[in-house]
Amino acid sequence: MQLIETEKAVLPTPWGNFFIFGFEEKKNGKNHIALVYGDIKHSAPILSRVHSECLTGDALFSLRCDCGNQLEMALARISQEGNGVLIYHRQEGRNIGLLNKIKAYALQDKGLDTVEANQKLGFSADERDFSLCADIFNILNVKKIRLLTNNPFKVEMLSNAGINVVERVPIIAKRNTQNAYYLKTKADKMGHLLPK
């Protein structure tokens, strides 16, 4: 187990009261959270979202990506379901970090796509490690999930880490003129299952 649970508290949101759980990585002290809604202590597959941190999209309302919209959609879907888990995975910019993400944005401003920008900076297209999220599901005693994602790689990584992903549930955010090329790149180069 790479993580320890630190504390939990009630988190009121526009979609109802969630419990917020804190987790800390043993090796480096990095923090992650999970939002839990309703009763997840049963054997039915739990509607879940692994949401990778995106300060620009989630908190600053950037139109360059679909992250903020997906976060709100996931919280609303979990609330409507009556129970569920959202893991907020602290791996900004597909785990290249905030400052490198801004550098990648600057390269995109010059015509590179999101994958090319990461590679130009010396990173792979996606540097994330989802095994930490599997640890969070295990700590929460959630063994079977219906995963809100368009990313088959995320399903594969969680499955390889021992989480039984019984269904992939699409979570299609609005397309706009600013994120259309980004979404096309996610579909064409990263295998995300998005409408054309």
Side-chain angles (χ1 to χ4, degrees):
M1 190 72 66
Q2 304 171 72
L3 298 167
I4 55 170
E5 182 184 336
T6 58
E7 191 55 89
K8 75 172 184 178
V10 175
L11 184 73
T13 77
W15 304 279
N17 288 345
F18 287 74
F19 277 104
I20 183 169
F21 289 76
F23 301 92
E24 184 175 292
E25 289 185 48
K26 292 176 182 176
K27 68 179 180 184
N28 58 20
K30 193 172 183 180
N31 303 143
H32 305 273
I33 62 169
L35 300 180
V36 174
Y37 189 85
D39 178 16
I40 60 168
K41 294 182 175 144
H42 53 77
S43 59
I46 302 296
L47 185 65
S48 302
R49 166 86 178 149
V50 170
H51 188 86
S52 295
E53 177 180 33
C54 178
L55 177 71
T56 50
D58 298 339
L60 301 178
F61 316 107
S62 170
L63 297 176
R64 294 183 85 123
C65 64
D66 57 346
C67 302
N69 286 336
Q70 285 188 326
L71 178 61
E72 291 187 19
M73 290 169 64
L75 292 170
R77 290 281 301 274
I78 287 168
S79 174
Q80 290 163 5
E81 185 87 0
N83 59 25
V85 174
L86 184 137
I87 293 174
Y88 197 79
H89 194 216
R90 302 286 308 282
Q91 296 193 81
E92 179 76 48
R94 296 191 206 107
N95 208 23
I96 67 171
L98 181 59
L99 298 183
N100 281 320
K101 179 178 173 180
I102 295 169
K103 290 176 184 176
Y105 279 174
L107 291 169
Q108 290 168 47
D109 289 344
K110 294 175 182 171
L112 273 63
D113 66 35
T114 182
V115 169
E116 293 165 345
N118 275 24
Q119 292 169 338
K120 180 87 171 173
L121 292 171
F123 301 105
S124 66
D126 195 336
E127 296 273 338
R128 291 174 294 181
D129 174 5
F130 293 108
S131 63
L132 292 170
C133 301
D135 282 355
I136 292 174
F137 282 122
N138 283 320
I139 291 169
L140 295 173
N141 202 30
V142 172
K143 304 298 183 192
K144 292 188 287 188
I145 64 173
R146 296 165 47 235
L147 188 64
L148 286 159
T149 188
N150 306 315
N151 184 353
F153 175 68
K154 196 179 288 186
V155 173
E156 180 185 341
M157 289 282 290
L158 287 171
S159 298
N160 289 343
I163 300 303
N164 184 1
V165 182
V166 302
E167 180 185 2
R168 184 191 67 81
V169 180
I171 182 163
I172 309 298
K174 290 180 184 174
R175 196 174 285 256
N176 64 58
T177 56
Q178 299 295 317
N179 72 13
Y181 186 48
Y182 166 82
L183 294 175
K184 184 179 185 313
T185 302
K186 281 173 77 171
D188 293 347
K189 291 191 173 181
M190 302 182 73
H192 288 225
L193 303 172
L194 295 167
K196 297 291 181 187

